[in-house]
Amino acid sequence: MRNLTVGDVMTTAVLTARPAMPLKEAARVLAEKHISALPVLDADDHLVGVVSEGDVLLKQGHQIPRRPHWWEGRRRRDTLRRAAGDTVGHVMSAPVETAMADDSLARAARLMTELGVRSLPVVDRHRALVGIVSRADVLSTFLRTDEEIRAEILGEVLVHLLWQDPTGIDVGVHDGVVTMTGVVGERSTAETAERLVRRLDGVVDVVSELRHRVDDGGLAHPR
């Protein structure tokens, strides 16, 4: 059983910016290409930041620049410094959270939710940009059909991983919600089946009504 990773769904043809790019040019690219952010690369093509629609709006919202006062909070002083610049390097957000190609989609989704961002740059171990993953990319995993999910449960989970006879188990999938009924050998097998199915891409919820012939204590039973 293989879950999709960031590398499976990310976009590899990524528009980028350089720190010296004029802010107006970055704004034009964002508007014309209908994207929310541009990864910013240094001379060695390593990721150094991200310039987003929000960063451009920061400049627009401070049309009368002024020097920050020492008594203002750190975040406020940083905002004023960034707003005073006219290049991507001045206003970009840095450092920036990233994903790696072998990260799970669950980790990418959690990061985007926690950070309140629409996308994450994807880098290799040298911080070189290899792609970008968006909320839409992650959500695409939920577009798997019920038939595809059911086929993976029967063939991959039950037969290949758990060595179960699928003819004794009824599996139904409706709008991503999986229902399993039938009889398996051990209680631990029933619990394992539910856990594995919950991890499948596209599964929204699992209703397991699997019964067992032998109570081996379940997954918590010491072996």
Side-chain angles (χ1 to χ4, degrees):
M1 184 176 71
R2 179 183 178 275
N3 291 95
L4 293 175
T5 64
V6 167
D8 292 320
V9 302
M10 69 182 185
T11 299
T12 55
V14 184
L15 292 172
T16 61
R18 301 287 182 178
M21 175 186 280
L23 198 55
K24 280 190 176 261
E25 175 66 11
R28 183 189 64 77
V29 174
L30 291 171
E32 290 183 357
K33 301 300 181 180
H34 304 288
I35 53 179
S36 60
L38 291 169
V40 184
L41 308 182
D42 65 13
D44 296 318
D45 288 339
H46 293 155
L47 183 72
V48 292
V50 167
V51 61
S52 67
E53 294 170 321
D55 296 322
V56 175
L57 290 175
L58 175 69
K59 176 70 175 181
Q60 186 67 26
H62 294 79
Q63 287 298 323
I64 304 177
R66 67 171 177 82
R67 294 174 61 85
H69 300 300
W70 63 268
W71 63 79
E72 294 178 297
R74 180 177 179 180
R75 180 174 297 181
R76 176 62 177 169
R77 295 198 305 270
D78 179 63
T79 297
L80 291 171
R81 289 193 193 95
R82 292 170 61 203
D86 57 4
T87 66
V88 164
H90 285 122
V91 305
M92 70 181 185
S93 299
V96 61
E97 289 284 351
T98 61
M100 300 190 76
D102 58 358
D103 283 347
S104 68
L105 292 183
R107 178 182 183 275
R110 186 170 59 251
L111 263 180
M112 283 188 273
T113 300
E114 291 174 352
L115 299 172
V117 296
R118 297 180 184 178
S119 60
L120 288 171
V122 185
V123 298
D124 63 17
R125 61 189 182 90
H126 301 295
R127 295 286 291 181
L129 187 73
V130 295
I132 193 164
V133 62
S134 69
R135 289 182 181 182
D137 295 328
V138 175
L139 289 174
S140 68
T141 62
F142 283 93
L143 299 180
R144 296 183 72 196
T145 67
D146 291 341
E147 291 75 17
E148 289 173 330
I149 295 171
R150 184 176 184 274
E152 185 171 9
I153 293 171
L154 292 172
E156 187 67 18
V157 175
L158 296 179
V159 175
H160 182 69
L161 294 178
L162 297 179
W163 294 5
Q164 298 297 304
D165 180 2
T167 60
I169 301 173
D170 183 46
V171 177
V173 186
H174 180 68
D175 290 339
V177 178
V178 178
T179 302
M180 295 187 295
T181 58
V183 181
V184 296
E186 295 81 23
R187 174 180 165 186
S188 60
T189 300
E191 293 177 357
T192 300
E194 180 178 353
R195 290 193 181 186
L196 290 175
V197 171
R198 286 189 182 279
R199 295 175 185 173
L200 296 178
D201 294 323
V203 170
V204 176
D205 197 8
V206 178
V207 179
S208 178
E209 298 176 355
L210 291 175
R211 294 174 286 119
H212 51 270
R213 300 186 185 90
V214 178
D215 189 346
D216 59 355
L219 297 178
H221 183 70
R223 297 184 181 276

